[in-house]
Amino acid sequence: AAGLGTRLLPLTESVAKPALPFVGVPVLCRVLDALGEAGVEEACVNLHHAPDSIRAVVAERGSRLPQVRFSDETALLLGTAGALIPVKDWLAGAPVFLLLNGDCVHAIDHAELLRAHALSGASATLVTRSRGEAGFGALVVDEAGLVTSFGVKSEGRLDERHFLSVQAVSPALLELLLRDRILLAQAFP
C-alpha cells in the first residue's frame, strides 16, 4: 500500500490509492476482506505515501480478519521486493505467504492460489491473465506456464501474460531476494 498513486492525481494528493473508495468501499478493505475469506489471519501493510489514510482505513475495519500490522516505509520507498526486508523475521516461519498490491481489486480465490502453489513445488506462483496489456510490462511464459521473461514491452503475443500483482511465495525465494538486495538488508538489520 506504499505506492505514490500518481496516475490518480489529484485524488491521491493526500490520500493513498488503497484508501480510495471503489464502489463505496476502500480498495484496501476489499483486498483485506478477500484475504480474510481465504483464511488469512494476519497481514502486513506497508506505508509510505499518505500513511495516515491507510491507518484510518484499517482502524475503521475494526477487528475483522486478517489482523493488520504495519511496516513503515515513510522514510524510504522500498519497492515490492524491498518491502519484504523489514518484515523478513515475521515472514521467516511461514511455509508460504501471499504478496499482493493493496491497490488492486481482483476476483481471485486466494485459498485456491495457495493450494495450487503447494502442488506446484514452485518458489512463487504468480496470478496472471492472458495477454499483456498496453502500457504495462508483460510476463512471457513457455508451454508449461513457466516464466521465461519479465517486464518486457507488451506486444499482444499469445505467450504474454499480464501479472495481476498477486503471488504466493515460498520462503526460499525470500532468501534469494534478500541476498540480491543486500544494501537494503543492511539498512534494515
Side-chain angles (χ1 to χ4, degrees):
L4 300 175
T6 55
R7 287 182 292 207
L8 289 180
L9 284 169
L11 294 173
T12 53
E13 271 180 19
S14 60
V15 176
K17 188 165 69 165
L20 292 173
F22 177 70
V23 192
V25 177
V27 172
L28 183 59
C29 285
R30 292 182 180 281
V31 171
L32 292 170
D33 289 347
L35 291 172
E37 289 171 14
V40 174
E41 295 180 5
E42 289 185 278
C44 184
V45 175
N46 60 339
L47 304 171
H48 182 73
H49 172 67
D52 290 339
S53 65
I54 296 294
R55 284 188 182 100
V57 163
V58 170
E60 195 172 295
R61 277 186 87 244
S63 61
R64 294 194 317 260
L65 292 179
Q67 292 296 304
V68 175
R69 66 175 56 213
F70 296 105
S71 178
D72 192 334
E73 295 180 22
T74 53
L76 176 65
L77 184 60
L78 299 175
T80 302
L84 298 173
I85 294 168
V87 296
K88 67 184 184 307
D89 293 337
W90 179 65
L91 294 170
V96 65
F97 60 91
L98 294 170
L99 178 61
L100 49 122
N101 289 6
D103 62 357
C104 299
V105 177
H106 301 292
I108 294 171
D109 183 338
H110 293 93
E112 179 57 32
L113 168 61
L114 289 169
R115 279 189 290 277
H117 176 71
L119 291 173
S120 74
S123 297
T125 302
L126 286 66
V127 179
T128 64
R129 65 178 163 79
S130 297
R131 304 277 175 99
E133 185 172 315
F136 292 89
L139 292 172
V140 177
V141 297
D142 64 15
E143 299 79 27
L146 299 176
V147 176
T148 61
S149 204
F150 190 88
V152 299
K153 182 180 177 187
S154 178
E155 297 175 358
R157 296 188 333 249
L158 292 176
D159 62 349
E160 291 179 357
R161 300 291 182 271
H162 181 76
F163 176 46
L164 298 180
S165 301
V166 176
Q167 55 197 308
V169 181
S170 297
L173 184 61
L174 175 61
E175 292 172 23
L176 290 173
L177 290 173
L178 293 177
R179 213 174 301 135
D180 287 346
R181 303 289 294 234
I182 193 138
L183 294 176
L184 279 175
Q186 290 172 351
F188 296 94

